[in-house]
Amino acid sequence: MPDGRDVMLVYDDTFEGFLTAVFESYAGKYRSCTIASRERCQPLLGVETLDIATDEKQAERVIAGIRRQMGQEGYEQVWTGFLSGNPRKEEVLLPYIRLGMKRGRVIHQMITDDRVIAQTKMTGLVGREAHLLIQFARFARMEGGVYYAAITPEHNCLSLIMPHFAQRFNVQPFVLHDKTHNLAGVFDRRQWVISSADGLTLPDCTADEKAWQKMWKAFYDTVAIRERYNPRCRMNHMPKKYWKNMVEMTAFPTPDDIPLPSLPDTDPYPQRKITPISSETSSTSPESGSLAQDTTYR
């Protein structure tokens, strides 16, 4: 029986903490229940706030239940959605989980359900940004042989892109620094881990790296066709929020700095001189033809 309370379950902003709150939402049998992160919690009038301590065993039970009822695809949807930077992501995740636990794997076919639509949209934005960061991350060689790249993503998708770079650069150690969430993905040529970036200090770039960056920017500026400069089109393919971490976009000329092509003083295409035809010339000119000289039609 429901206990008649309207509650808000507050967790510690970790995935395990969120799953513990999901477990409590079932075990408590509340009349209505919402989940909120401790950092973004806003108490509501008439709603009791309960602080939920993270419990690894309860989180594992929820994971097992999601995989059993919704399959691996359902679990990946929940996990990817939790990486979203949406401040109200819990309001999307909890209804989706409850629907999936009730309907099972058929939830993946319920593409017109509002809860499924909201979840799919949220996870799609996370996946899209991860795809873009794989293209736009720029690594620089630092003193000591470690490569470093800084990113400022909207979503916490560092764990989605680290496997790609660990496989792509498997012979060199690197640090992928997420400045937005203060996280660092570290790869030592054997395995990668994600940890807090507190106290992260970096050596200077090598002299060769600075030379390569200068040559790369010169190449990028040289191959650009100034007459076809289209910032709106470029921002559609390369969002501007990533430019500050891309060496080729640093100190890039503004539209005012780019000279536009000017018209030449003389027209490069000669114009034919057209002489008006008078009645006299029309009857006597040899170019007028037989119709001009023929009097049959007068």
Side-chain angles (χ1 to χ4, degrees):
M1 292 292 295
D3 66 357
R5 290 187 296 170
D6 301 323
V7 300
M8 175 184 291
L9 306 178
V10 181
Y11 70 101
D12 61 359
D13 206 30
T14 64
F15 185 55
E16 291 76 13
F18 169 73
L19 295 178
T20 304
V22 172
F23 182 90
E24 177 62 25
S25 70
Y26 280 94
K29 298 181 179 179
Y30 306 109
R31 182 173 63 179
S32 67
C33 177
T34 58
I35 299 177
S37 167
R38 188 170 297 147
E39 296 182 358
R40 299 184 299 270
C41 175
Q42 295 183 354
L44 301 176
L45 184 64
V47 177
E48 183 180 354
T49 301
L50 299 179
D51 191 56
I52 303 299
T54 300
D55 189 311
E56 297 285 346
K57 293 183 178 180
Q58 292 180 0
E60 289 294 334
R61 288 181 61 181
V62 175
I63 292 175
I66 292 175
R67 284 177 168 161
R68 182 177 59 255
Q69 294 294 113
M70 303 166 61
Q72 181 64 21
E73 182 181 354
Y75 172 71
E76 291 178 359
Q77 281 282 328
V78 174
W79 179 67
T80 306
F82 184 79
L83 301 177
S84 172
N86 185 349
R88 305 180 67 176
K89 60 186 178 184
E90 295 86 1
E91 298 179 14
V92 177
L93 287 168
L94 183 59
Y96 178 79
I97 293 174
R98 284 187 170 274
L99 177 64
M101 297 296 284
K102 181 179 180 181
R103 301 298 299 273
R105 305 191 184 197
V106 73
I107 188 176
H108 307 306
Q109 304 173 12
M110 302 171 61
I111 58 176
T112 59
D113 190 281
D114 291 339
R115 292 160 290 187
V116 177
I117 292 174
Q119 176 71 22
T120 303
K121 180 180 179 180
M122 188 167 66
T123 56
L125 292 175
V126 177
R128 179 178 182 273
E129 183 166 58
H131 176 71
L132 292 175
L133 287 174
I134 288 176
Q135 303 175 62
F136 300 142
R138 298 291 183 263
F139 286 86
R141 190 170 187 268
M142 318 301 286
E143 295 288 350
V146 176
Y147 289 78
Y148 170 83
I151 57 175
T152 51
E154 178 182 353
H155 308 290
N156 186 10
C157 51
L158 186 59
S159 56
L160 297 178
I161 63 178
M162 278 298 294
H164 168 82
F165 289 114
Q167 182 180 10
R168 178 67 177 82
F169 305 131
N170 56 3
V171 296
Q172 61 190 44
F174 66 81
V175 176
L176 188 56
H177 185 192
D178 182 350
K179 293 185 175 180
T180 304
H181 303 92
N182 194 33
L183 297 172
V186 182
F187 178 68
D188 63 355
R189 293 185 293 190
R190 294 187 302 273
Q191 60 182 358
W192 60 270
V193 295
I194 295 178
S195 63
S196 173
D198 291 336
L200 178 64
T201 57
L202 297 171
D204 293 332
C205 292
T206 62
D208 289 346
E209 175 62 30
K210 294 178 181 179
W212 280 109
Q213 288 184 1
K214 185 176 180 180
M215 287 189 290
W216 169 241
K217 189 178 186 307
F219 169 79
Y220 184 85
D221 295 345
T222 301
V223 299
I225 302 175
R226 304 292 174 164
E227 291 78 10
R228 296 183 180 180
Y229 181 74
N230 189 340
R232 182 177 296 275
C233 179
R234 179 168 58 181
M235 284 187 288
N236 287 338
H237 297 280
M238 183 191 300
K240 195 171 183 179
K241 64 181 179 179
Y242 302 122
W243 291 8
K244 58 185 175 181
N245 297 316
M246 303 175 64
V247 61
E248 64 266 34
M249 302 304 297
T250 56
F252 192 79
T254 62
D256 297 335
D257 299 329
I258 300 176
L260 298 176
S262 58
L263 294 176
D265 296 336
T266 59
D267 195 338
Y269 303 103
Q271 300 291 333
R272 296 180 62 186
K273 186 176 181 180
I274 301 176
T275 304
I277 301 176
S278 63
S279 59
E280 296 179 357
T281 58
S282 64
S283 60
T284 59
S285 174
E287 292 84 6
S288 59
S290 60
L291 290 180
Q293 299 177 3
D294 192 352
T295 58
T296 305
Y297 299 99
R298 294 183 180 178

